[in-house]
Amino acid sequence: MSDDAVRARQGVFFALAAYTFWGIAPVYFKLVKQVPALEILSHRIIWAFLMVFVLIVAMKRLDRIRPILKSRKLVLRLTLATCLLGGNWFLFIWAVNSNHMLDASLGYYINPLLNVAIGMVFFAERMRRLQLVAIGMAVVGVTIQIVTFGSVPWVALALASSFAIYGAIRKRLPVDSISGLWLETAILFPVMLIYLFVFAESASSDLTANPWTLNLLLVAAGLVTTIPLLCFTAAAQRLRYATLGFFQYIAPTLMFALAVVVYGEPLEESKLVTFIIIWSALALYSFDSIIQRQRDRKAKKKLASAEAGIH
């Protein structure tokens, strides 16, 4: 098996792990819903910062951090990506614990199609006709919800765009997944630390007064943050950006099922119409991808047969 094939297989594994973990992450946030969203975000940042630092030390990768810090351009780009990621995390936590999980699900259904558009515009990835039609259908679905029902799916759009742009920036940064995650949390760490211990005024902000079970859950925010994001950045470095969009069906599908079946969020008509159009767009995109893969396989077999005949 070639090196590219090995990297692609690894990318598939990391993508499956990341999106499955993200899909069931709302269960964790529901367990700590009595804690304010910004406070939960603070724990995500603080504990992820500490956990990844330990991991970097254990793997003897501190030497990879210094060259990045010496490049002002890299640090600025990483800071921009970090701000987008932090905003995405906060909005997601707020959406889940404010009974907007369906909106979060819609956002991550839109995200794959947005990735396709970004891949075309910024990475010069060729888009086929059916892929462009799928993107157009997504735009139509959101437009119908806004015009017909007077409802702007701002949570969905904000989540989709912030994470898509974050992913695009991270893909272009020559920073490995572990170092990148630690630097991202390091950028936000002092801000979150000051907020948690100086400005936070909720009952749960005093860790000494919390039951040990709640504190344990808050510490686990580091794991909830670290595991899927490490998998995602590892996948992004091994797969075409448009290919990543295919795996993102997993996370919003799990969120949708949790929202409707487990947590009983109402599926309003405006949301249902948009969901149906987005699902149709994704089905079209998937159909096109399958057809193209079959064509590529036939072309490779034909080329291999021709080369074998020559030799």
Side-chain angles (χ1 to χ4, degrees):
M1 185 178 294
S2 66
D3 290 341
D4 288 342
V6 171
R7 284 180 60 81
R9 178 170 292 186
Q10 291 173 344
V12 168
F13 169 78
F14 284 125
L16 286 171
Y19 292 119
T20 300
F21 205 103
W22 272 320
I24 61 175
V27 175
Y28 165 79
F29 293 114
K30 286 290 189 181
L31 292 174
V32 292
K33 65 180 180 180
Q34 70 272 33
V35 180
L38 189 54
E39 199 172 308
I40 297 174
L41 177 63
S42 300
H43 283 284
R44 290 191 72 174
I45 300 297
I46 291 170
W47 296 114
F49 169 82
L50 296 173
M51 290 177 183
V52 177
F53 180 73
V54 171
L55 183 61
I56 288 176
V57 172
M59 298 176 69
K60 298 180 180 180
R61 291 191 177 183
L62 280 174
D63 59 314
R64 299 188 180 185
I65 303 296
R66 297 188 188 95
I68 300 170
L69 295 177
K70 289 180 180 179
S71 172
R72 179 180 297 181
K73 185 178 180 180
L74 277 181
V75 171
L76 288 174
R77 290 166 64 189
L78 192 61
T79 300
L80 174 60
T82 300
C83 292
L84 289 166
L85 182 64
N88 181 275
W89 283 352
F90 172 76
L91 184 57
F92 180 76
I93 296 168
W94 176 87
V96 169
N97 288 346
S98 300
N99 298 320
H100 287 281
M101 199 186 303
L102 280 173
D103 290 319
S105 173
L106 179 61
Y108 289 112
Y109 271 124
I110 294 173
N111 194 216
L113 299 174
L114 193 54
N115 285 341
V116 174
I118 288 176
M120 176 180 63
V121 175
F122 294 101
F123 299 132
E125 295 179 354
R126 292 185 177 182
M127 295 299 110
R128 296 176 293 277
R129 184 177 300 175
L130 289 182
Q131 290 178 320
L132 293 174
V133 172
I135 294 172
M137 289 175 65
V139 174
V140 169
V142 173
T143 302
I144 288 176
Q145 181 170 338
I146 294 173
V147 175
T148 306
F149 299 97
S151 173
V152 179
W154 68 270
V155 173
L157 294 175
L159 285 172
S161 58
S162 60
F163 197 70
I165 297 171
Y166 161 76
I169 294 173
R170 280 293 280 115
K171 182 175 176 65
R172 283 292 182 91
L173 291 176
V175 182
D176 66 272
S177 56
I178 297 176
S179 301
L181 177 57
W182 185 75
L183 288 169
E184 287 165 349
T185 56
I187 291 169
L188 294 175
F189 179 78
V191 178
M192 296 293 98
L193 203 63
I194 292 171
Y195 166 76
L196 186 61
F197 291 104
V198 178
F199 295 103
E201 297 180 348
S202 69
S204 56
S205 62
D206 183 0
L207 298 181
T208 61
N210 289 340
W212 69 268
T213 51
L214 177 58
N215 283 338
L216 187 62
L217 283 171
L218 292 174
V219 172
L223 292 174
V224 172
T225 301
T226 304
I227 294 173
L229 199 60
L230 285 176
C231 291
F232 171 78
T233 51
Q237 291 172 351
R238 290 167 170 80
L239 299 174
R240 292 178 71 238
Y241 203 71
T243 304
L244 274 177
F246 178 80
F247 295 95
Q248 291 190 32
Y249 302 164
I250 298 169
T253 300
L254 292 172
M255 288 181 205
F256 183 89
L258 285 171
V260 175
V261 178
V262 179
Y263 297 110
E265 284 192 21
L267 185 56
E268 300 168 355
E269 184 181 358
S270 60
K271 291 180 182 177
L272 181 59
V273 170
T274 305
F275 267 115
I276 291 173
I277 295 175
I278 297 297
W279 287 336
S280 300
L282 291 173
L284 183 63
Y285 172 70
S286 299
F287 172 76
D288 176 77
S289 298
I290 292 170
I291 295 299
Q292 186 59 38
R293 286 183 181 181
Q294 290 177 344
R295 289 174 179 171
D296 290 342
R297 287 176 182 174
K298 289 180 180 179
K300 287 181 180 179
K301 287 182 179 179
K302 187 176 181 180
L303 179 61
S305 299
E307 290 177 347
I310 294 174
H311 295 292

